[in-house]
Amino acid sequence: AALLCQEHSLPDEYLVQELLTRLKNTAEEKEGNESETKRQQGQVVRFGDAIELQHVTTGKIISLSKQQAYERAAKKLDMVVEGSEASTLSIRPAVKAYATGELVGSGDLVVLNLIKKIAGFSYSVHLGAAENEKWQATIVKA
């Protein structure tokens, strides 16, 4: 950090050191997330699991932004390049016929709960297909 400050005439070595530390921590976290994703691929999904939904074609992650959360009638989700706490969802059964820990099957009705609270509120994402097969998301504040 000291050498970098001297080379570029930066006044505050402490801030540069803090920035370098944060960059290193971010890189380590990203590497850990990637290895966890590889480990989890192909695993069976159970009710109660934490998941991220990734778009097959673009590779982007579905996420709920704070802006979308604050809008009262928001029905849109964001597609972001990298996931965040606002893209980690917990998969729950929509009906009480299933319990946490049971396998999620094809055709099961599910509710996706945002794990991280935004502005003190929990949010659920309800996905459904209309007659024309376009998927629509409804965001519900709990």
Side-chain angles (χ1 to χ4, degrees):
L3 182 61
L4 186 65
C5 286
Q6 287 175 350
E7 286 179 9
H8 298 285
S9 303
L10 299 172
D12 196 348
E13 184 178 330
Y14 173 76
L15 289 177
V16 172
Q17 183 64 41
E18 182 70 23
L19 176 65
L20 292 174
T21 302
R22 288 185 182 194
L23 286 172
K24 180 182 173 193
N25 291 344
T26 301
E28 288 174 357
E29 183 177 350
K30 185 176 179 180
E31 184 179 312
N33 288 345
E34 288 173 355
S35 66
E36 179 65 16
T37 299
K38 286 179 184 175
R39 187 181 74 79
Q40 290 289 341
Q41 274 187 331
Q43 296 294 317
V44 176
V45 178
R46 298 179 182 274
F47 288 110
D49 284 355
I51 62 169
E52 286 184 343
L53 298 177
Q54 185 175 26
H55 190 263
V56 175
T57 307
T58 63
K60 292 184 177 181
I61 305 291
I62 293 175
S63 182
L64 176 66
S65 69
K66 285 184 180 181
Q67 184 66 29
Q68 290 292 346
Y70 290 134
E71 291 181 22
R72 187 167 178 86
K75 291 188 175 187
K76 293 191 311 184
L77 295 168
D78 292 332
M79 301 283 283
V80 296
V81 176
E82 292 190 19
S84 67
E85 290 179 333
S87 58
T88 306
L89 305 165
S90 173
I91 187 164
R92 303 275 182 215
V95 294
K96 296 194 183 226
Y98 301 101
T100 300
E102 290 187 35
L103 298 177
V104 177
S106 177
D108 286 347
L109 297 175
V110 300
V111 174
L112 302 171
N113 294 327
L114 195 63
I115 291 178
K116 182 183 184 321
K117 290 186 177 186
I118 298 178
F121 292 101
S122 298
Y123 289 87
S124 297
V125 178
H126 298 261
L127 298 172
E131 290 179 20
N132 60 3
E133 295 298 321
K134 271 196 163 184
W135 286 91
Q136 181 178 14
T138 304
I139 302 164
V140 180
K141 182 174 15 176

